[in-house]
Each structure stands twice: as structure tokens, then as C-alpha cells.
Amino acid sequence: MTLEQEKNPWLAAEVRFDKAAATLGLDDGMRKVLKKPAREMTVNIPVMLDDGRLEVFTGYRVQHSVARGPGKGGIRYAPDVNLDEVRALASWMTWKCAVVNIPYGGAKGGVICSPTLMSDGELERLTRRYTSGIMDMIGPDQDIPAPDINTNERVMAWIMDTYSMHARQATTAVVTGKPMELGGSLGRREATGRGCMIVTMEALKKFRLTPETTKVVIQGFGNVGGMAAQLMAERGFRIIAIIEYDGAIYNAEGLDIQALMDHRKETGSINDFAGGEAIDKAEAMFLQCDVLIPAATENVVTSQNAERLNCKILCEGANGPTTAVADGILAEKGIFVIPDILANAGGVTVSYFEWVQDRQGYFWNEKLVNERLEDIMVQSFASVAKWGETRKVDNRTAAYMLALDRVASAIRLRGIYA
Ligand code: GLU
């Protein structure tokens, strides 16, 4: 396999799928059904730019499975979005929702664009036109988008408004990750990072570590990595390094995360932070630590560098941070992997709570949201561990097996409509 193939997320998704399906003894027909996305849409969307030029952007929405419930999954805006990536991300949503046992299938969307170079007006026009393009696919009972890389509450509000204008009624449950004023949920913003912290705490028990004795390195300081850092620092973890796209910062005693957040807010970057020393961002991932949390993007742990990881626990905050080829190397090194479809499932879990609250028109307090999230994450961690122990497989394969089994079982019960 070439490095390019190794880094194709759809191929990585296939390798993991095949391994779990074989270990599970899934029949050929079911494998075919579960492998291919159920529905894919490509839209080419004209958007008027601020300078008067008309530009056409390409966007996708893929529903991998709607067997257990409506499609669910984020929308990302990035220059390198492609259909194979969106397919893989959609399938990971199917498995993720099944691992935490929430009543959704899996979907994902993406638009090829450079959001940092676009004005607010351009982003709004792009979002609204993309929403209208995929309108027939989404809906509270069909497919519910959410934020992902480079999309946020504001983008969700535009989607909610565009959909609602067409539906001729305010339809808050069509997206999650919305502002509080529009039916958002308390705790949603922190949910993915909180989920990472909860499963890491569960993993620590296996190593007889306590938060105070645990050194953590986090890649990414955004919605997932930043929140995980903040919540873990509050619990007493020693966050010794934060790695961002434009630099990395290190402090052996543990970084003051709140101060680093304030510094970033003021200067726009983690660089030049007085409470730590700047280190090489390409090397920081290989620092000796107990927990490494890649919480940025895909393909950061590959066949080229997995050997150099120096952690006991790898908690995958991002989707697909480890290539399938690297899995074997991590296993040989004895690294305890908390796979993405479990580790970062806190986000979609609270998205589910948001959707439930919107549909009921009755909102929960933050304590209730966090307690229910914790219950689900702890239970899911235990279920994956149990599958791993009884079937003698690694955590990732165990999580996939649990997920495949749940989705296949739903399909069998529904039967094939002919
Ligand atoms: N984009 C997030 C993920 O990959 C959240 C999805 C959601 O809340 O639907 O899990």
C-alpha cells in the first residue's frame, strides 16, 4: 500500500470494517449492504463573492446508513474536502452512533472552500445555498447535520433558518450544535472534549494512574482539543504540551490552560505564551507522556511515525487520526488505543440530547446533560472493553464489532424491502 492509499480515509475505513466483519463472521450479503453508503449527493453551488465575482463551490452530503434512525453527522468546510473522505466520515458516524447506542444512522457533509479566506457574508451565502442544495436529504426525521471542522454555531443557525424558511415553520431539530437561543443544548460545546476526558479517566483505571500523575499531550486546541485540555486541567491532569497548526508549546510541570486560552484570545495564536517554551510542532507528538490526544485532523499517526509514539494511551479526539496500517504498529508497541468512534462520541451524544430537547420543547439543565453523557460514555467504554476481552481483539476492532453487530441486527429485523 502506498502512503497515498494509506492516507485515503475510505480505504482505512474499509480495512477496519473488513477485519471486524470477518471476526464477527458477518455474511457476504450483509457486508455488501453495510459497506456502501446508502445515498450520496454532490451539489455545485453558485455563490456571489463580495467583489462581485460569481464562484461555484462543490459540496457533498453522504448518508452511509439510516438503518437505526435518521442520518446524523457534521458538515466540514475545508479546501481538501473530497468525496472519499466524506464517505469515510459518514460511515464512522454510523459506527459511532451504534457504539454509544443512540438511535441514529450515520451521515456527513462537506464543502470544498477556504473558510478562513472568506468573509462572513460569503460564508453565509455559501451555507444557505448549500443547505438549499441538500434540502431534500435533510430534516429532523431524515438526516440531522451538526458542526465539524471549520463550522460552528453560527453556521448551524443559518442552516436552521434556511431550512425553516422553506418548511414554513421554525424547525430547530433539523441541526444540532445550535446557539442556545435557537434550541441549542447546554453542554454541547464542551461535549466532545468532555467525552474524551471521561473515557481517558476510564482507561487510567487500567494503568493505576490518577489525573495528578498523568502527563497529557494534546494536538489541536479547538472545539475538541481545547475543551479536553480545559476540562482535564480542571480535574488535575498535567497537560505538558499543546500542538497547533502553527506551533507547539511545552511545560513539563503542566501548562496553565486557562492562561493559554486567554493568550490565544488576545494574540490569535498559542505562540509566544510566557507560561511555556516553544517546541518543534512536528516533534511534539513524540514526547514521552501517558496520554496522547490527537484532536485535530485525519492521518497524523501513520506507518511513517507510529513507531516513535511515546504514550501509554492514545485517545482519538479527531476522526481518523490513525491510519489502518499504523494500527498494527500501535498494537505491537502495546499502546492502549481509545478509538475515535468511542473517544469522540461525546459530541454526537449531546447532539442527540439537543435533538430530543428540541422535539420535546423542554430543556434540561447542564448537570443533567453532563450526567447523562457520563453514563453513556462510561457504559460504552465498558461494552467495548467487554467485546475486546471476550473476543480477544484490540479496542478498535471491538468497537467496530459492537457497532456492526448492532447495525446488522437492525437491518435483519427490518428485512430487505423489495
Ligand atoms: N462532527 C462531530 C463528529 O464527528 C459531531 C457530529 C454530530 O454531533 O452530529 O462526531
Side-chain angles (χ1 to χ4, degrees):
M1 196 185 266
T2 63
L3 189 59
E4 198 188 329
Q5 285 169 328
E6 181 186 339
K7 287 189 168 181
N8 180 326
W10 182 240
L11 292 180
E14 243 179 358
V15 172
R16 269 83 177 245
F17 174 89
D18 287 340
K19 185 174 177 192
T23 319
L24 203 56
L26 216 58
D27 66 86
D28 251 16
M30 187 58 80
R31 283 191 211 193
K32 282 184 192 160
V33 176
L34 292 178
K35 216 167 183 172
K36 285 248 182 344
R39 209 173 169 202
E40 304 180 344
M41 185 182 259
T42 301
V43 287
N44 292 306
I45 37 182
V47 176
M48 192 61 82
L49 302 180
D50 291 346
D51 63 8
R53 274 186 306 128
L54 189 58
E55 191 53 87
V56 174
F57 295 87
T58 301
Y60 309 102
R61 185 74 186 170
V62 173
Q63 289 168 0
H64 171 260
S65 169
V66 288
R68 298 179 66 255
K72 185 85 192 84
I75 292 171
R76 67 171 55 174
Y77 288 174
D80 55 355
V81 163
N82 62 75
L83 190 51
D84 264 357
E85 179 195 39
V86 179
R87 282 180 180 134
L89 289 159
S91 74
W92 291 333
M93 288 310 301
T94 303
W95 314 134
K96 194 185 297 186
C97 292
V99 165
V100 288
N101 212 3
I102 57 177
Y104 289 136
K108 201 84 179 193
V111 179
I112 306 170
C113 62
S114 299
T116 48
L117 304 177
M118 293 170 74
S119 71
D120 286 356
E122 288 169 342
L123 276 176
E124 177 170 355
R125 292 193 289 280
L126 172 83
T127 302
R128 290 188 182 277
R129 189 64 194 245
Y130 169 69
T131 306
S132 103
I134 61 165
M135 184 79 77
D136 294 336
M137 276 178 95
I138 62 171
D141 293 303
Q142 263 184 289
D143 178 357
I144 307 117
D148 199 77
I149 292 176
N150 292 327
T151 57
N152 53 21
E153 292 180 6
R154 193 176 53 166
V155 173
M156 297 306 115
W158 291 328
I159 297 176
M160 177 266 173
D161 182 68
T162 307
Y163 185 90
S164 298
M165 295 313 284
H166 283 258
R168 294 285 185 264
Q169 52 185 307
T171 312
T172 52
V174 65
V175 276
T176 58
K178 298 179 296 295
M180 283 307 297
E181 296 86 335
L182 295 174
S185 176
L186 290 167
R188 174 62 186 87
R189 210 177 288 161
E190 301 80 18
T192 313
R194 184 177 293 279
C196 290
M197 177 186 71
I198 296 166
V199 289
T200 300
M201 299 274 270
E202 292 305 292
L204 287 194
K205 293 178 187 163
K206 299 193 180 291
F207 290 87
R208 293 178 210 281
L209 283 165
T210 61
E212 291 73 21
T213 54
T214 303
K215 289 186 283 180
V216 185
V217 173
I218 302 181
Q219 182 193 47
F221 203 49
N223 181 254
V224 183
M227 285 302 167
Q230 203 164 21
L231 293 166
M232 290 174 92
E234 279 168 21
R235 290 277 171 112
F237 284 86
R238 254 203 291 160
I239 318 291
I240 60 164
I242 296 284
I243 313 165
E244 269 279 70
Y245 63 96
D246 60 346
I249 199 98
Y250 172 77
N251 183 333
E253 299 309 313
L255 291 157
D256 179 342
I257 297 297
Q258 193 50 55
L260 183 58
M261 289 240 166
D262 295 343
H263 170 82
R264 204 245 322 248
K265 207 169 175 189
E266 261 167 46
T267 66
S269 159
I270 61 165
N271 296 335
D272 305 318
F273 177 57
E277 66 184 274
I279 52 167
D280 182 352
K281 68 178 182 346
E283 289 298 309
M285 211 170 67
F286 311 114
L287 281 169
Q288 194 270 317
C289 63
D290 299 296
V291 182
L292 173 65
I293 307 185
T297 184
E298 287 113 80
N299 299 326
V300 294
V301 180
T302 69
S303 59
Q304 310 296 300
N305 66 14
E307 192 55 55
R308 296 185 57 210
L309 291 195
N310 211 345
C311 60
K312 298 189 179 91
I313 298 166
L314 181 73
C315 176
E316 297 183 335
N319 289 311
T322 308
T323 68
V325 186
D327 279 348
I329 303 171
L330 299 183
E332 267 169 36
K333 286 174 69 79
I335 293 177
F336 186 90
V337 177
I338 314 176
D340 49 4
I341 56 172
L342 168 65
N344 69 35
V348 74
T349 301
V350 177
S351 274
Y352 166 55
F353 298 160
E354 179 175 332
W355 178 80
V356 168
Q357 294 170 78
D358 288 341
R359 293 172 70 110
Q360 290 188 332
Y362 181 69
F363 290 84
W364 314 348
N365 63 37
E366 196 165 357
K367 185 164 167 276
L368 191 60
V369 171
N370 291 343
E371 279 170 9
R372 289 186 169 164
L373 171 63
E374 178 144 10
D375 275 356
I376 290 184
M377 296 306 296
V378 169
Q379 257 179 48
S380 307
F381 184 93
S383 307
V384 169
K386 197 161 168 216
W387 271 79
E389 280 152 25
T390 47
R391 308 290 184 113
K392 306 254 173 305
V393 290
D394 59 86
N395 292 338
R396 192 186 314 278
T397 308
Y400 269 76
M401 286 171 76
L402 164 64
L404 260 59
D405 190 51
R406 284 189 174 145
V407 181
S409 164
I411 293 173
R412 279 189 212 104
L413 286 165
R414 287 176 67 153
I416 302 297
Y417 175 68

Short mmCIF file of all heavy atoms in Angstrom, two decimals, residues 72-74 93 96 108 144-148 176 188 319 344 347-348 351, ligand 1:
data_model
loop_
_atom_site.label_atom_id
_atom_site.label_comp_id
_atom_site.label_asym_id
_atom_site.label_seq_id
_atom_site.Cartn_x
_atom_site.Cartn_y
_atom_site.Cartn_z
N LYS A 72 -27.01 11.12 10.80
CA LYS A 72 -26.51 12.13 11.74
C LYS A 72 -25.03 12.34 11.48
O LYS A 72 -24.29 11.37 11.33
CB LYS A 72 -26.71 11.63 13.18
CG LYS A 72 -26.33 12.67 14.23
CD LYS A 72 -27.45 13.60 14.51
CE LYS A 72 -27.03 14.83 15.33
NZ LYS A 72 -26.47 15.91 14.48
N GLY A 73 -24.62 13.59 11.47
CA GLY A 73 -23.19 13.85 11.30
C GLY A 73 -22.93 15.27 10.85
O GLY A 73 -23.81 15.95 10.32
N GLY A 74 -21.72 15.71 11.08
CA GLY A 74 -21.35 17.11 10.86
C GLY A 74 -21.18 17.48 9.40
O GLY A 74 -21.30 16.67 8.49
N MET A 93 -19.64 7.82 11.41
CA MET A 93 -20.80 8.28 12.21
C MET A 93 -21.78 7.13 12.46
O MET A 93 -22.34 7.03 13.54
CB MET A 93 -21.53 9.44 11.50
CG MET A 93 -20.79 10.78 11.49
SD MET A 93 -20.18 11.38 13.08
CE MET A 93 -21.67 11.47 14.04
N LYS A 96 -20.15 5.10 15.12
CA LYS A 96 -20.09 5.88 16.38
C LYS A 96 -21.44 5.90 17.09
O LYS A 96 -21.55 5.64 18.28
CB LYS A 96 -19.66 7.31 16.02
CG LYS A 96 -19.22 8.17 17.16
CD LYS A 96 -18.95 9.60 16.68
CE LYS A 96 -17.81 9.69 15.68
NZ LYS A 96 -17.48 11.11 15.34
N LYS A 108 -22.56 12.51 6.72
CA LYS A 108 -21.57 13.58 6.82
C LYS A 108 -21.69 14.48 5.61
O LYS A 108 -22.14 14.05 4.55
CB LYS A 108 -20.15 12.98 6.84
CG LYS A 108 -19.12 13.90 7.44
CD LYS A 108 -19.12 13.77 8.94
CE LYS A 108 -18.09 14.64 9.61
NZ LYS A 108 -17.93 14.22 11.03
N ILE A 144 -29.72 14.79 10.20
CA ILE A 144 -29.54 15.97 11.04
C ILE A 144 -28.07 16.39 11.07
O ILE A 144 -27.25 15.77 11.75
CB ILE A 144 -30.04 15.68 12.48
CG1 ILE A 144 -31.48 15.14 12.45
CG2 ILE A 144 -29.95 16.91 13.37
CD1 ILE A 144 -31.62 13.74 12.97
N PRO A 145 -27.69 17.45 10.33
CA PRO A 145 -26.30 17.90 10.35
C PRO A 145 -25.89 18.52 11.69
O PRO A 145 -26.72 18.77 12.56
CB PRO A 145 -26.25 18.96 9.23
CG PRO A 145 -27.44 18.70 8.38
CD PRO A 145 -28.49 18.16 9.32
N ALA A 146 -24.62 18.80 11.81
CA ALA A 146 -24.03 19.36 13.03
C ALA A 146 -22.70 20.00 12.65
O ALA A 146 -22.26 19.86 11.51
CB ALA A 146 -23.81 18.24 14.05
N PRO A 147 -22.04 20.66 13.59
CA PRO A 147 -20.74 21.25 13.26
C PRO A 147 -19.66 20.19 13.10
O PRO A 147 -19.75 19.10 13.64
CB PRO A 147 -20.41 22.13 14.49
CG PRO A 147 -21.68 22.26 15.26
CD PRO A 147 -22.48 21.04 14.95
N ASP A 148 -18.65 20.53 12.33
CA ASP A 148 -17.43 19.73 12.23
C ASP A 148 -16.31 20.75 11.96
O ASP A 148 -16.48 21.93 12.27
CB ASP A 148 -17.58 18.68 11.11
CG ASP A 148 -16.57 17.55 11.25
OD1 ASP A 148 -16.76 16.67 12.09
OD2 ASP A 148 -15.55 17.54 10.52
N THR A 176 -28.03 20.18 14.90
CA THR A 176 -27.62 20.31 16.31
C THR A 176 -26.33 21.13 16.37
O THR A 176 -25.72 21.41 15.33
CB THR A 176 -27.43 18.93 16.96
OG1 THR A 176 -26.44 18.22 16.21
CG2 THR A 176 -28.72 18.15 16.99
N ARG A 188 -23.31 21.20 24.96
CA ARG A 188 -22.96 20.67 23.64
C ARG A 188 -21.56 21.11 23.22
O ARG A 188 -20.80 20.33 22.65
CB ARG A 188 -24.00 21.10 22.58
CG ARG A 188 -23.64 20.71 21.14
CD ARG A 188 -23.56 19.19 20.97
NE ARG A 188 -23.09 18.76 19.66
CZ ARG A 188 -21.83 18.60 19.31
NH1 ARG A 188 -20.85 18.88 20.17
NH2 ARG A 188 -21.50 18.15 18.11
N ASN A 319 -11.50 12.52 14.17
CA ASN A 319 -11.97 11.38 13.40
C ASN A 319 -10.82 10.90 12.52
O ASN A 319 -10.21 11.70 11.81
CB ASN A 319 -13.15 11.79 12.51
CG ASN A 319 -14.41 12.04 13.30
OD1 ASN A 319 -14.80 11.23 14.13
ND2 ASN A 319 -15.04 13.19 13.07
N ASN A 344 -14.48 10.10 20.62
CA ASN A 344 -15.04 11.43 20.33
C ASN A 344 -16.57 11.40 20.20
O ASN A 344 -17.18 12.35 19.70
CB ASN A 344 -14.36 12.08 19.11
CG ASN A 344 -14.69 11.38 17.80
OD1 ASN A 344 -15.81 10.90 17.60
ND2 ASN A 344 -13.74 11.36 16.89
N GLY A 347 -19.64 14.23 21.48
CA GLY A 347 -20.26 15.31 20.71
C GLY A 347 -21.61 14.90 20.16
O GLY A 347 -22.63 15.57 20.37
N VAL A 348 -21.63 13.79 19.46
CA VAL A 348 -22.89 13.37 18.84
C VAL A 348 -23.89 12.92 19.92
O VAL A 348 -25.10 13.03 19.73
CB VAL A 348 -22.66 12.30 17.75
CG1 VAL A 348 -22.31 10.94 18.33
CG2 VAL A 348 -23.90 12.18 16.86
N SER A 351 -25.46 15.97 20.92
CA SER A 351 -26.29 16.36 19.79
C SER A 351 -27.64 15.64 19.86
O SER A 351 -28.70 16.21 19.60
CB SER A 351 -25.62 15.99 18.45
OG SER A 351 -24.75 17.01 18.04
N1 GLU B 1 -18.86 16.36 13.85
C1 GLU B 1 -18.98 15.64 15.09
C2 GLU B 1 -18.48 14.22 14.94
O1 GLU B 1 -17.73 13.93 14.06
C3 GLU B 1 -20.37 15.74 15.68
C4 GLU B 1 -21.46 15.13 14.87
C5 GLU B 1 -22.86 15.40 15.42
O2 GLU B 1 -22.99 15.95 16.50
O3 GLU B 1 -23.80 15.03 14.72
O4 GLU B 1 -18.78 13.37 15.74
#
